[in-house]
Amino acid sequence: MSDKTTTTGPATLRERAASLEGRVPPAAAGPRTDDERMLLEKAAALRAQADLLEQQANIAAAAGTEVLREQIDRAVAFLAARLAEYEVDPTFHRALGRAVGYAEACLDHHQLEGAARQLLWLHAEARAWRKHSDYFKAIR
């Protein structure tokens, strides 16, 4: 069974979200049922996925291969320095290695959206140390 949200564009995801929201009566109609809350949660998740797809496309369009590689290198250097300072679960080290390897493979094959997706993951992981003095140098 395939997940349709991974192969559709942001506009289609937003249309599906609007369709789900249209099936829920207004809040003034009374308390929400579990089904209505579930439909609204699914609509919110579809909108979030649409936003993420747009963000990935924008990063890929705005950044050429070398710019993207530079951003990934800065984020990895920041995370590697934080991993050296703090005790972190070894699975995170493996996840970081896989993300970097996948990003480099994407860049080597000019698949900028895949590399941009990994960059977003690196940025999300770096947010744990957003109060660090080097954070904004690495994540820009």
Side-chain angles (χ1 to χ4, degrees):
M1 182 186 282
S2 67
D3 183 8
K4 291 182 183 180
T5 60
T6 59
T7 58
T8 56
T12 305
L13 292 174
R14 286 196 176 86
E15 287 174 17
R16 290 178 59 202
S19 170
L20 291 174
E21 291 168 343
R23 294 169 50 188
V24 177
R32 300 258 189 238
T33 65
D34 287 342
D35 288 341
E36 291 168 345
R37 282 193 296 275
M38 186 258 327
L39 288 173
L40 292 174
E41 287 173 8
K42 184 166 184 169
L46 288 172
R47 288 187 190 284
Q49 176 142 12
D51 292 343
L52 181 64
L53 287 174
E54 279 185 349
Q55 188 179 15
Q56 290 171 356
N58 290 341
I59 288 173
T65 303
E66 290 309 311
V67 173
L68 202 50
R69 188 178 307 272
E70 206 175 286
Q71 291 175 341
I72 289 170
D73 289 343
R74 276 197 316 268
V76 169
F78 176 78
L79 285 169
R82 301 302 71 78
L83 294 178
E85 292 174 7
Y86 301 98
E87 187 173 321
V88 179
D89 184 8
T91 56
F92 181 74
H93 290 273
R94 286 193 300 277
L96 180 60
R98 287 184 182 132
V100 172
Y102 183 76
E104 288 177 358
C106 287
L107 289 172
D108 290 344
H109 293 90
H110 303 289
Q111 296 175 349
L112 299 183
E113 286 188 23
R117 190 170 39 252
Q118 297 309 307
L119 178 61
L120 288 174
W121 182 86
L122 292 168
H123 285 183
E125 294 302 320
R127 275 188 217 118
W129 293 285
R130 67 182 163 270
K131 294 186 182 197
H132 193 277
S133 61
D134 292 337
Y135 176 75
F136 289 104
K137 286 185 244 173
I139 311 303
R140 59 180 164 97

